[in-house]
Amino acid sequence: MILTKKYDFLIVGAGLYGAVFAHEAKKRGKTSLVIDKREHIGGNTFCEKIEDINVHAYGAHIFHTNDKRIWDYVNDFVPFNRYTNSPVANYKGSFYNLPFNMNTFHQLWGVKTPAEAKSIIEEQSKKYQKNRPENLEEQALSLVGEDIYYKLIKGYTEKQWGRKATELPAFIIKRLPLRYTFDNNYFNDNYQGIPIGGYNELSGGLLEGIDIQLGVNYFKNKESLEKLASKTVFTGKIDEYYNYEYGKLEYRGLRFDHEILEIDNYQGNAVINYTEAEIPYTRILEHKHFEFGQQKNTVITKEYPLEASTSQEPYYPINDEKNNAMYFKYKKKAENDNVIFGGRLAEYKYYDMHQVIGAALAKTKNLFDI
Ligand code: UDP
């Protein structure tokens, strides 16, 4: 007797990868059961309504992409607003615009022209030039020179990652633009914004019409859950999936301290970074500014970085050599399993939202259309 399974896919994790996968499968007539150990969908994009403000419960999520196809895709579920991320850095009480641009250079050195700024950066970075920077510190010093590195990068980076900048991969700092124009846009991408009404509109739209079970621990119910579907899509930690057989992949964790303040505007910007080492949090978010909110009160969040032990949520993969080598062992093992691994935790990759969506779209296209 051939037993038919109830679902085509069991999708473990209701974050963006799982939600896009489920949506794309449904479009092709396939059924999915999406489970999540948390009590909500959306993974770390989840917003909690407090004081009528969409509070980014797991830290700032700002959507940006250069890919029109991905921009159109998300805008089909919910229109996005015109929010442009322009964080400000607070270093020992002085404010500097981010990313590193003519406003920052003027604030640092009083320079008024790109030529003056370039000449200072060249002067401060020339002794650090080398063919292949081996770590974040070398990369940063060779790109922006000493003042910017010591005031705006070193302190922030070392508390964010809990490691010396000399022990971190160079690519992390290349996320930040450096430009010689008066342009405070944190991203270079063509498209940017926040879903109008918050990210739950996006995850809700993606998962519409799909069976979801929340508060379900996959590992505790693995056997019975896998009986329900022909194939598993796993978006959790790949090392946990394999019971840490090759060791634990390291992550940087975060603690969020949310506060309601009975004032309408606390800091005048959605994100202010605290770049000195002595202040224990990396940034303060003021959530209403992501959506130009006019509510009476405000909600702020201090982000405290910390080491992610297994009991805490993992946020940032630490893609240094040691961890990458361990991940590749898991990846090799996964190639022989009939399971799809996708997303930041399963691919151990510092993905942004648009990249996760791109990865899930590519995977489903490959699976269903080729
Ligand atoms: N960074 C920094 N100073 C800042 C902001 C960022 O040195 O004021 C560095 C830091 O190493 C950080 C990296 O740039 O980890 C990437 O920052 P991004 O804002 O892209 O990180 P995310 O928003 O993903 O935490």
Side-chain angles (χ1 to χ4, degrees), residues 98 152-153 156-157 160-161 172-173 175-176 186 273 275 283 316 350:
L98 293 172
L152 303 179
I153 297 177
Y156 185 99
T157 295
Q160 160 72 5
W161 295 95
I172 295 176
I173 202 65
R175 291 168 60 86
L176 271 59
Y186 200 61
N273 291 0
T275 58
R283 48 192 174 194
Y316 296 92
Y350 191 176

Side-chain angles (χ1 to χ4, degrees), residues 3 20 34 61 67 75 81-82 84 113 115 118 130 148 153 159 162 212 216 276 293 301 324 362:
L3 285 173
V20 170
V34 177
H61 282 75
D67 188 335
N75 274 270
N81 71 16
R82 62 156 188 85
T84 302
T113 66
K118 251 187 198 146
K130 63 193 269 196
I148 294 179
I153 297 177
K159 66 183 165 183
I212 305 170
V216 175
E276 68 206 74
T301 301
N324 284 346

Side-chain angles (χ1 to χ4, degrees), residues 60 62 64 85 87-90 98 100 136 140 148-149 151-158 160-161 168-169 171-176 186-187 254 271-275 282-283 303 316 344 350-352:
I62 299 141
H64 59 96
N85 195 29
V88 173
N90 180 328
L98 293 172
F100 314 124
L136 195 151
I148 294 179
Y149 178 66
K151 289 187 173 168
L152 303 179
I153 297 177
K154 186 175 160 56
Y156 185 99
T157 295
E158 294 189 341
Q160 160 72 5
W161 295 95
L168 287 164
F171 82 88
I172 295 176
I173 202 65
K174 295 195 94 176
R175 291 168 60 86
L176 271 59
Y186 200 61
F187 303 113
L254 290 169
V271 185
I272 298 199
N273 291 0
Y274 287 77
T275 58
T282 47
R283 48 192 174 194
E303 285 190 16
Y316 296 92
R344 199 186 256 215
Y350 191 176
Y351 269 142
D352 289 331

